[in-house]
Amino acid sequence: MSTREADRITAAEETLNTLFDISQLLNTGLDKETLATCVGLIESGVNPEALAAVVQELRRENAAAKAAHATNGR
Amino acid sequence: MSDALDSLVYSLVPRARQDDRLKRQLVAHCEEILSSHIGQTAEKDIGHLADSIKRHLLQTNPSGASTLRFTNLLSRLLDQPVLSRKQASLQFLHTLASTPVSAPAASFLPALAPPPPSRPSSKATTPIESHPTSRPHRGKSKADLLREYRLRLGQPHIPEHLILRDTLYLLQGISGKYVQFSVSKDAEQNKELIFTEDPRYFVPAPMRALIHRLAEVGHLYQRVDAFVREREGRVGVGMIEQSLCHHLQTQLTEYYRLIAVLESQMSAAPHADESGKENVAAEDRTREEETGLTLKRLDVWIEDWRLRMRMMSVCVEGARDAHGGALVNLIHGYAENGDPFIRKFTNQLLEEVSKPFFATLHKWLFSGELYDPFSEFFVAVDPELAHLQYMQPSLQGVGQLASDGGFGGGDVEDTSEEHAGGLQLWEQKYRFRKEMLPAFVGETFGRKIFSTGKSLNFIRYSCHDSDWVATRERLSNTGGTLKYSDIVGLERSIDTAYQIASQRLFDVFFDKYKLLDHLMALKHYLLLGHGDFADQLMETLGPSLSRPANTLYRHNLTATLESALRSSNAQNDPPDVLRRLDARMLEYSHGEIGWDVFTLEYKVDAPIDTVLDPTAMMKYLKLFNHLWKVKRIEGTLNSGWMRIAGGAKTFLRVPELEYDWHQIRLVMAEMIHFIRQVVAYCHLEVIECSWQDLSHFIQKKEGDLDALIENHRAYLDRMVKKVLLLSPKAGREENLLNQVRDVFTMILNFREATDDLYNYCLTESARRDAEKDAARGVYTRIESAEDRRYTTESLPDILSRVREYGAAFSDRVQGIVQALASHPDLDCRFLGIRLSFSDFYKTKKEQQLRA
């Protein structure tokens, strides 16, 4: 691994850290991996607002699934 | 990309790791969302995004610490080179953050169960919808409180659509259900707005104010409409007013169109909430915000028309008093406005309104016809002279002549031939009305237009040259029309038309009617310019003029005139000129002799009498009278001098009277000097100089007929003033003239006295001759009765008369010289100097004073 590659990785990490900080500040509730995935998606051209909608949707699914699980499990 | 989605689904929904069907379902759903149109609005710029994030942070955490931290982080992020779509990431985070994180809490409330996952509610996640809910809930506004209070009282605010309908009625000047026009009680009958007291509804004050504003347009509309209707029904409305009405009507039609559009907008708005349910109304309101009509919107729509209506109303107000050109003027007064809207509106209006004016102008300017049935043009015709033609005998003309000068006592057939004077026709047939002249034309151009039309009219009717005018008119029709927007072109056409018409009029006068010949003839005959003719006339006429006036007959006079013409150079003049020359007698009273009443006359007819009008002819006669007198005195003195000079040497041998004769010769020489100076002054200094000015003007051929008349008048006035030595002092104009006439009488008396003396001498010498003959023894004496008049006894009487008249003459002349020295006119003063050349009279006076 060349030094340039290493530089790039550290820079990416730093960026991710910064974004994560902002995310924390904004209280989005995303963990670091999810954030990284989302940023990757955005970088690949996904509309950010649509992505936000997706995240929300998935969260809601999760909650519903959990609730359903809880009631089923009871 | 699907990998990333998978991991996203796994990390957010852990259960999907086990449940493959769920995972697939979720991924499909996610793709569906991503491919949907959510959030495809616009890329916000990063500054704006940062701002909204900061605002969001401030809302959740008012201390400001987190904002500061965000700013730090943001600047660090922007420094990083890695990401290409930083702002998209930020946007993502912001969107996520601004959605409520109440999702976990929601699971505790079974009542708000999330919708089934198969049917996603995209609406819930749109940022538009999320905004209001994210804001902290505020207290109700005062307006809301008031509204609720009124509702509790049972008098809710009136729903807007009800009042809206009324307002649309108001805009058309019709009273509505809740708001009505009513005639107020004050004197001016002004409309005022009344809100009907309806127990069910209450109209709040802001709404009232708004309606008041809107109703102004309705009120103005009523006025304009009433004006148009009133004019429509009336007869005898001027053309300019008619076109004003037309323009107003088109404007009103525009206005109706607007109202119709507004009305359709209003009906598009929902009527559902008749029942007044609050929640339904609230929903409607949100929809109305996007489409329907509200009072405020109406106000904006109407704004433009408010101005226009005001302008129209002002015009209407002005039109009540103004008429024709004055109306155009009034409107033009508003055209000079800094506001482009008003200017444009006024210009449009003016363009329309001035059309009939320009039609009239065109007719007037190019054919000299006044077509103005409602007397709106700035040229007005005198109704009495409108149909007067040249050749018709008119009583007016006779009356004027008779009252003016009172010549023509003897012959009736002469005066009856007089017709309405050309000058009268020219000057009074058309009148210039300054108040009707549109301001955009300007007064100088107005005058030009006036003069042009007048000239054309004159050429046509008075000079019988209508062919030329008709040709001109046809030519001019190709030159395009006159209109308000082309003022420069208008001025150009006015200028050319003016020039052509004036030129033509000049040509007609000088070529066709030979005005110059007539002027020359007047100068030659009436002003005694032809010396040989005057001498001849004087010679042949002199003896008969000494007789009493009542023994003179006109046929004798004319015969004498005829022979004078034949025997002088005047016979070479054109017969047309000689034909007009006539000898007449003025009206005489008892005791007058032929000299007092004889006059030459020069007859002019149409259309020359426009320039040589009766007043001018009167002046010519006056001049002739004076000059004729001067001529007579000159002739008298000449013949007297001949007799004295010749006779004294040959046969008047009365030595004791030698000294007296010497004295007489001295006085006579003085008289001759006087009269020669006067004659030279009249002819050389006055008449010829004035004539030169006039002929200069004529050669230049500038100006119109008015200028010609003006110049001729000036020429004549100058001559009258100077020849008659008139002084400008009121009441004493003729002082000098009277003195000069006195001098003339003195000269005549003196001549008579010298004649007596001459006769005496003749008798005396004859007697002495007879005595000598008798001494020689030849009897030659013939005793006759007439010789007894000149006896030795009458000698002292004759001598005293001679001396008396001589002294009186000298005195008078001295007075005249003195008066002339202080005469305001320079030429007259020079006459004084010439009369007293070498200070003859001055030293004489000094001698007298010393003695």
Side-chain angles (χ1 to χ4, degrees), chain A residues 11-30:
Chain A
E13 250 168 33
E14 208 162 306
T15 311
L16 193 62
N17 279 338
T18 318
L19 275 174
F20 184 65
D21 281 352
I22 294 173
S23 164
Q24 292 290 78
L25 201 60
L26 284 170
N27 202 11
T28 52
L30 295 170

Side-chain angles (χ1 to χ4, degrees), chain B residues 90-144:
Chain B
L90 268 182
Q91 168 100 51
F92 163 71
L93 288 176
H94 177 227
T95 316
L96 209 56
S98 51
T99 50
V101 235
S102 56
S107 57
F108 299 114
L109 295 168
L112 291 176
S118 56
R119 207 201 83 197
S121 159
S122 62
K123 191 182 169 190
T125 53
T126 52
I128 301 168
E129 280 300 300
S130 55
H131 271 294
T133 34
S134 73
R135 289 207 183 112
H137 193 71
R138 289 206 190 121
K140 284 174 177 168
S141 71
K142 294 242 166 72
D144 288 340

Side-chain angles (χ1 to χ4, degrees), chain B residues 670 810 814 839-848:
Chain B
E670 197 182 327
S810 209
Q814 208 170 320
D839 280 347
F840 174 74
Y841 288 101
K842 201 175 163 195
T843 45
K844 198 168 181 183
K845 194 181 170 193
E846 277 162 9
Q847 277 170 5
Q848 274 176 356

Side-chain angles (χ1 to χ4, degrees), chain B residues 76-91:
Chain B
R76 234 157 67 199
L77 178 67
L78 291 178
D79 284 341
Q80 299 291 341
V82 182
L83 290 184
S84 62
R85 303 186 65 207
K86 283 169 192 154
Q87 80 201 48
S89 309
L90 268 182
Q91 168 100 51

Side-chain angles (χ1 to χ4, degrees), chain B residues 514-529:
Chain B
K514 310 229 180 306
L515 180 64
L516 198 58
D517 285 359
H518 294 299
L519 288 177
M520 295 272 258
L522 280 169
K523 180 168 165 281
H524 288 160
Y525 299 116
L526 287 196
L527 303 183
L528 305 181

